[in-house]
Amino acid sequence: MKRVLVTGGAGFVGSNFIRMMAAHHPDWRIINLDALTYAGSTDNLKGLSGDYAFVRGDIADSACVTALFGQYAFDYVVNFAAETHVDRSIASPQDFIRTDVLGTHTLLEAVREQGVARYVQISTDEVYGSVAAGAFAEDSPLRPSSPYAASKAAGGLVVQSFYRTYGTPVVVTRSSNNYGPWQYPEKIIPLSITNAIDDQALPMYGDGLNVRDWLHVEDNCAAIDLVLHRGEVGEVYNIGGGQEATNLAVTEAILARLHKDRGLIRFVADRPGHDRRYAVTCDKLKALGWTPSVAFAEGLARTVDWYIAHSEWWRRIKSGEWRAYYARHYAELEEPRT
Ligand code: NAD
Ligand code: DAU
């Protein structure tokens, strides 16, 4: 039996990871530590069976983290907990620095004290910044653009420093854009799907030609499971879907699946510091035996269908904190365009 601490497991990727691990590793005891910010909900794990416990708590609260590590002798720690939305980081960076940097450090101190077998830091391809052509490898320089990306880069560097300084057995993943079920409808794919279902405008930043590399969340979770078991300690692993698309192409595919009109796309002011294109090489991960299994067209169609079938879930979110955020962030959508 392995005792596994998953932080941020009530969010999008973390909840998918817990579901998958509960199925793949029935011998695991999974403890989910999550602060339940606006982005997290225990609804995301409803119906989960197996040896699973939820603890509400903040990874930056050292008393909470120390008490938890005192209660369980963890074998593995997988740190998903983070503030994750670029636009929110631009409006207000403070929570990002607190959770993504200080929270990561708080966890690492507990890990160092207790001596776990493996700590996995979930990071992002955004730490490399934009790439006009080609793709970034794990040893490419870090040039984060947004406060979100900078906080993830800083947290990840603290993780690597613990390996070099104390020999803490860490692995860092840097994945590209995930999509799939249970994603909070502030990110472009679930926002576009749910707005389109309700015949609301789909906000498109700039010229809509920014490129992201789409990775189905299940492929990301399988990669994380692999590096947890077979990744080399101290190493960084990129995880990319190898499926690049412009934002316009993604929203057009969503509209086509829903039989909605392209006229729903509404061009709005660009995101400050908006990275044009992300791309990473995944040779290190592929050498361990991983390859993405979900083709983007098929995964996107499945995702649209999932949101149609789970409208109760996202309508509850959209009737809460989301509304004030949306009104604030997309105020210009309300204004008449000349
Ligand atoms: P999310 O915003 O859906 O979920 C984040 C979760 O962390 C929420 O449940 C939230 O309540 C929890 N959380 C936030 N602050 C916390 C704190 N101080 N203590 C404990 N819990 C806290 O995010 P996501 O999209 O699932 O991303 C998960 C991780 O994966 C993040 O580290 C993110 O940087 C990384 N990542 C995400 C993507 C993506 O496309 N979604 C891509 C690359 C990397
Ligand atoms: O690359 C990995 C990263 O992907 C993760 O680390 C982040 O946590 C995750 O949020 C995501 O960041 P992005 O900024 O790429 O995701 P987002 O969905 O916010 O935006 C995707 C693209 O769509 C980006 O070019 C901005 C654009 N966009 C986004 C929104 C919310 C729009 O045009 N309109 C919008 O309303």
Side-chain angles (χ1 to χ4, degrees):
M1 199 258 279
K2 299 282 184 206
R3 288 180 201 82
V4 184
L5 174 63
V6 176
T7 69
F12 163 50
V13 188
S15 62
N16 277 281
F17 181 76
I18 289 176
R19 280 180 193 280
M20 188 186 275
M21 294 309 106
H24 289 186
H25 303 291
D27 58 321
W28 278 15
R29 170 148 221 215
I30 302 174
I31 312 300
N32 176 10
L33 173 67
D34 195 299
L36 298 184
T37 67
Y38 78 91
S41 171
T42 51
D43 285 355
N44 300 0
L45 286 158
K46 250 188 196 152
L48 181 74
S49 58
D51 196 352
Y52 165 76
F54 176 73
V55 177
R56 185 170 190 176
D58 180 347
I59 61 163
D61 174 352
S62 66
C64 160
V65 170
T66 306
L68 194 65
F69 275 72
Q71 195 180 342
Y72 299 97
F74 292 116
D75 297 288
Y76 306 140
V77 175
V78 186
N79 180 27
F80 291 95
E83 289 292 338
T84 63
H85 192 38
V86 171
D87 294 324
R88 292 189 193 241
S89 84
I90 292 167
S92 176
Q94 193 169 339
D95 289 346
F96 289 73
I97 307 301
R98 184 176 181 281
T99 292
D100 304 4
V101 186
L102 300 178
T104 297
H105 172 245
T106 304
L107 276 178
L108 285 166
E109 288 295 359
V111 162
R112 180 156 77 101
E113 173 74 24
Q114 191 175 83
V116 307
R118 187 64 62 98
Y119 171 97
V120 182
Q121 174 73 4
I122 307 303
S123 190
T124 167
D125 64 356
E126 294 204 13
V127 298
Y128 299 115
S130 197
V131 60
F136 289 124
E138 287 83 354
D139 57 359
S140 297
L142 305 189
R143 291 202 182 87
S145 300
S146 68
Y148 161 69
S151 72
K152 292 298 293 185
L157 289 175
V158 178
V159 171
Q160 287 178 273
S161 81
F162 267 56
Y163 167 68
R164 293 196 192 110
T165 308
Y166 310 114
T168 309
V170 307
V171 177
V172 178
T173 67
R174 294 182 184 146
S175 94
S176 63
N177 284 61
N178 284 216
Y179 69 101
W182 312 106
Q183 187 169 28
Y184 193 88
E186 64 186 351
K187 309 285 165 68
I188 191 167
I189 286 183
L191 178 65
S192 300
I193 296 171
T194 57
N195 277 14
I197 289 172
D198 283 347
D199 294 310
Q200 299 295 308
L202 274 49
M204 181 66 59
Y205 298 159
D207 60 7
L209 298 180
N210 297 65
V211 171
R212 296 292 181 266
D213 170 18
W214 292 101
L215 172 70
H216 194 276
V217 65
E218 286 167 8
D219 280 327
N220 187 26
C221 293
I224 295 165
D225 188 21
L226 183 66
V227 300
L228 173 65
H229 289 96
R230 305 220 348 249
E232 203 172 314
V233 164
E235 291 296 314
V236 175
Y237 292 88
N238 288 341
I239 312 173
Q243 307 183 92
E244 294 183 31
T246 64
N247 297 330
L248 262 182
V250 171
T251 48
E252 282 167 356
I254 290 168
L255 289 167
R257 180 79 184 171
L258 289 166
H259 306 290
K260 299 280 182 172
D261 196 275
R262 196 183 176 281
L264 281 176
I265 296 174
R266 197 73 50 83
F267 286 91
V268 297
D270 206 353
R271 171 186 279 175
H274 194 175
D275 285 332
R276 192 66 169 168
R277 173 176 173 262
Y278 296 137
V280 288
T281 60
C282 308
D283 302 341
K284 272 173 81 172
L285 185 63
K286 286 184 174 162
L288 295 181
W290 177 89
T291 184
S293 66
V294 184
F296 186 46
E298 181 225 319
L300 187 61
R302 255 167 50 191
T303 303
V304 171
D305 295 350
W306 186 90
Y307 278 84
I308 293 171
H310 292 78
S311 65
E312 205 185 305
W313 176 80
W314 57 262
R315 285 195 191 287
R316 193 159 49 244
I317 291 174
K318 281 190 150 186
S319 65
E321 184 272 353
W322 182 93
R323 285 171 67 156
Y325 165 74
Y326 193 79
R328 201 166 61 238
H329 183 65
Y330 296 100
E332 69 177 289
L333 280 181
E334 310 299 325
E335 291 160 14
R337 292 172 78 83
T338 50

